[in-house]
Amino acid sequence: MSALGTLAVVFHLDGTLVDSEPNYFEAGRRTLAEYGVPDFSWAEHERYVGISTRETITDWRGRYGLSAPVDELVAVKNRHYLELARTKTVVFPQMRTFVERLAGEGVPLAVASGSSAEAIDAILSGTGLDAYLRTVVSADEVPHGKPAPDVFLEAARRLGARPADCVVVEDAAPGAAAAHAAGMRCIAVPYVAAQADAPEFATAGLLLRGGQAEFTARAAFDWLAASDRRP
């Protein structure tokens, strides 16, 4: 058991640990352009932050009138994304420090992401985070993506932790809702500042409205150490 008792921490990946949203946007833009949808904008991309790739593309088919099968579109987008992810993914410095501090304290850690397992592995290995984050759950492995709690509950199961002992670190409203539905506390670090007032974030135990600019590893660790971990 770690110095923080039975605590376990589950990180969302994209937009939380790493600034991969620019890569997802570019992969989405390239994919839609291939299928006759030009001028996909960052503002349009923002509505999908925190939503799994498969669910994003399912929505695209209706929104943009795409006839290609979901599996085909997922494969094309993943191909574009992996090309970018392997070499262009940036880790938020304070998040890396936070992961290293928790790992040093012996806290069980996991990643729970809406990305494909291949994309998660590419990011973790390419950034060196795989040295600390060995328990990984993709939304593709569970019945329902966020805001359903499935991916976080599976991460807790694999860590051997009770949901009540888990803290989720999230950047998106659907993830905060999923953490709450899973019975887990949440550190919310909104990637899109304009979404900080979303009702889903109101359930977070710690909400950093300024996003990554406000997040520090020390403050997050101190909050964990001080917070009530009773079941």
Side-chain angles (χ1 to χ4, degrees), residues 4 14 23 29-30 70-71 78-79 82 88-89 91 105 107 114 123 126 133 140 152 155 164 173 178 185 192:
L4 294 178
D14 303 301
N23 292 343
R29 188 196 66 77
R30 292 180 185 180
V70 170
D71 286 346
N78 281 343
R79 173 171 53 81
L82 287 170
K88 297 183 181 295
T89 302
V91 182
E105 294 286 346
V107 176
I123 289 175
L133 299 162
D140 292 346
F152 290 141
R185 288 171 299 136
V192 181

Side-chain angles (χ1 to χ4, degrees), residues 121-207:
D121 289 344
I123 289 175
L124 294 180
S125 62
T127 58
L129 288 173
D130 58 341
Y132 310 101
L133 299 162
R134 299 182 180 90
T135 300
V136 175
V137 184
S138 165
D140 292 346
E141 301 177 85
V142 296
H144 305 289
K146 303 169 190 177
D150 302 30
V151 70
F152 290 141
L153 292 173
E154 177 61 16
R157 187 191 69 79
R158 294 185 188 183
L159 289 173
R162 298 182 307 165
D165 290 328
C166 294
V167 172
V168 169
V169 186
E170 256 288 353
D171 71 289
H180 184 66
M184 301 176 182
R185 288 171 299 136
C186 181
I187 296 174
V189 190
Y191 185 84
V192 181
Q195 295 178 4
D197 289 325
E200 293 89 343
F201 284 134
T203 64
L206 177 62
L207 171 58

